[in-house]
Amino acid sequence: MIQNMFCVERSDGQETWVKEQCFKTEFKAFINARIQSLSTYGLYRVTYKGLGGPSEVLRLSNGKAVLTDEDHLIG
């Protein structure tokens, strides 16, 4: 059985990511990424690993969400 996981990854340069830790819930992954981002001033992201393959959920810098090129805001 493949289990869905939310993983926290740290930016290690130009689009290079290092996996730090994985969690069963998105909330726990978000809290961990936010704490790491606030304490190190680094860029972190939360990814989702499910049946359809990995996908990015959120990027954080200094504890705040960062928009990516794929984000399309309406309004």
Side-chain angles (χ1 to χ4, degrees):
M1 179 177 158
I2 298 174
Q3 188 170 14
N4 299 336
M5 297 293 287
F6 294 90
C7 296
V8 175
E9 298 177 350
R10 172 181 42 87
S11 177
D12 196 26
Q14 190 92 5
E15 288 300 315
T16 304
W17 297 92
V18 178
K19 188 179 298 183
E20 294 213 334
Q21 200 169 358
C22 293
F23 300 89
K24 291 182 181 179
T25 67
E26 184 178 4
F27 180 74
K28 286 182 180 180
F30 166 74
I31 294 299
N32 181 275
R34 186 165 192 273
I35 289 169
Q36 293 294 338
S37 176
L38 284 168
S39 64
T40 66
Y41 300 106
L43 180 62
Y44 286 79
R45 72 178 182 179
V46 175
T47 58
Y48 174 74
K49 292 176 75 175
L51 297 175
S55 62
E56 185 173 314
V57 176
L58 173 73
R59 284 188 192 198
L60 296 162
S61 178
N62 296 328
K64 297 180 182 170
V66 176
L67 297 177
T68 64
D69 293 337
E70 293 89 30
D71 291 332
H72 302 287
L73 297 179
I74 300 173

